[in-house]
Amino acid sequence: MEKVESLSRQYLRRVSEQNEESGMESYRSRILQKNRVEGLLQMDKRYLDGICYQYYDITSMGSMGEMCAGGKITEKCLEEMFDGLETALQDMEVYLLKQSDLCLKPEYIMKNYETGRWAFLYIPGYDGDQAADLEKLTEYLIEHLDYSDESLQEGVYELYNSVIQLGERAVPTGMIQLWKQARQERAPILLPKQKEQSATEERELSPQSETEEDGARNTGGPEKKRWRRKIYRTPYRGMEIKNVSQPPLTETL
């Protein structure tokens, strides 16, 4: 895989021999060329000197490695990446594309500078080791984490340990489930006193009925009520992570 430029656009280029594609592989290749699959890099085929190449458009995009060159991976960054991966997997299912054909190496996970969306590399008949790719991806996340966020650090460590334990059974859908479980485990459990305080604050921020003073001011006119906008508070993420149970990760396609 190499980066090339053509007509002011940038591409990832890969050699693709035609005899490698047959049956469903040929179908999936045509899907990538004829359709815009949400979350996947757009692919085209070109022939140069009798050799067939797959061109993946990465114009206005940077890889995860390039994105992290000037800083650290934050929780927001990870949330957006996993959301993008989940969207891609859902659209892939519609087109009967196998998740085992995703290449999830950090250098090929791309983010659009203009839209902020993530895009992933799909190779029909991918002959790489996806489980090994997922392990390297989690290792990369650990190496480039924002270590000022202890909660994020614990969550990614838990994700890494789970991927290692799964070994060859690790797949993208399972990785997303493990990340979501790690997030849930980091949500705080309110103590009774905290619950009471939270309930009191919610009552104070809920719609209030008209007071006597308001009624005196509004005599002679239609009854009015004063409303206050309800504010939703985001729970603090800082609790200890517990071991998560492994979800069923069997790929269906």
Side-chain angles (χ1 to χ4, degrees), residues 191-239:
L191 300 176
K193 186 175 181 180
Q194 292 174 309
K195 289 182 178 179
E196 181 180 352
Q197 181 180 1
S198 177
T200 301
E201 292 175 350
E202 184 174 350
R203 285 196 299 271
E204 292 176 351
L205 296 172
S206 297
Q208 301 295 314
S209 60
E210 184 184 41
T211 63
E212 293 181 1
E213 182 180 354
D214 294 329
R217 287 198 297 265
N218 296 328
T219 54
E223 184 180 359
K224 295 182 180 179
K225 292 186 178 181
R226 297 168 57 194
W227 293 78
R228 297 182 183 178
R229 186 178 55 163
K230 189 173 181 180
I231 301 174
Y232 294 90
R233 304 179 62 191
T234 302
Y236 170 71
R237 300 178 182 274
M239 301 300 292

Side-chain angles (χ1 to χ4, degrees), residues 5-115:
E5 292 189 11
S6 176
L7 300 176
S8 302
R9 302 194 70 83
Q10 293 181 323
Y11 299 90
L12 288 175
R13 186 173 71 177
R14 174 181 180 270
V15 176
S16 174
E17 298 184 13
Q18 280 188 302
N19 57 12
E20 290 180 353
E21 295 184 354
S22 60
M24 288 301 292
E25 287 183 11
S26 177
Y27 159 79
R28 291 171 178 129
S29 180
R30 292 197 304 272
I31 285 293
L32 289 184
Q33 296 177 72
K34 303 295 184 180
N35 299 273
R36 284 282 183 180
V37 183
E38 184 72 20
L40 297 185
L41 294 173
Q42 181 73 19
M43 189 262 279
D44 191 17
K45 280 189 174 182
R46 300 180 187 178
Y47 294 87
L48 299 174
D49 298 328
I51 301 175
C52 180
Y53 292 93
Q54 293 172 332
Y55 278 73
Y56 294 89
D57 193 349
I58 58 170
T59 306
S60 301
M61 295 184 182
S63 68
M64 177 177 283
E66 294 170 339
M67 290 289 184
C68 298
K72 298 295 183 180
I73 296 177
T74 63
E75 182 163 6
K76 180 181 178 182
C77 176
L78 281 186
E79 292 284 0
E80 292 175 347
M81 187 197 73
F82 279 113
D83 285 347
L85 179 57
E86 185 172 28
T87 298
L89 289 169
Q90 291 172 351
D91 222 29
M92 285 167 54
E93 187 175 358
V94 173
Y95 288 101
L96 303 179
L97 301 179
K98 297 196 304 182
Q99 61 173 299
S100 59
D101 285 342
L102 278 176
C103 178
L104 294 175
K105 296 179 180 179
E107 60 266 33
Y108 301 135
I109 297 177
M110 315 298 291
K111 184 177 182 180
N112 192 303
Y113 291 115
E114 298 175 353
T115 65

Side-chain angles (χ1 to χ4, degrees), residues 100-158:
S100 59
D101 285 342
L102 278 176
C103 178
L104 294 175
K105 296 179 180 179
E107 60 266 33
Y108 301 135
I109 297 177
M110 315 298 291
K111 184 177 182 180
N112 192 303
Y113 291 115
E114 298 175 353
T115 65
R117 295 180 179 178
W118 292 83
F120 303 87
L121 177 63
Y122 185 93
I123 303 175
Y126 179 51
D127 57 358
D129 187 342
Q130 191 181 66
D133 291 348
L134 292 176
E135 181 178 335
K136 291 179 180 179
L137 175 58
T138 52
E139 288 178 353
Y140 184 88
L141 297 180
I142 288 176
E143 293 171 358
H144 296 84
L145 273 181
D146 177 8
Y147 277 91
S148 64
D149 189 337
E150 294 183 3
S151 178
L152 175 63
Q153 177 183 342
E154 292 175 353
V156 174
Y157 279 177
E158 184 68 29

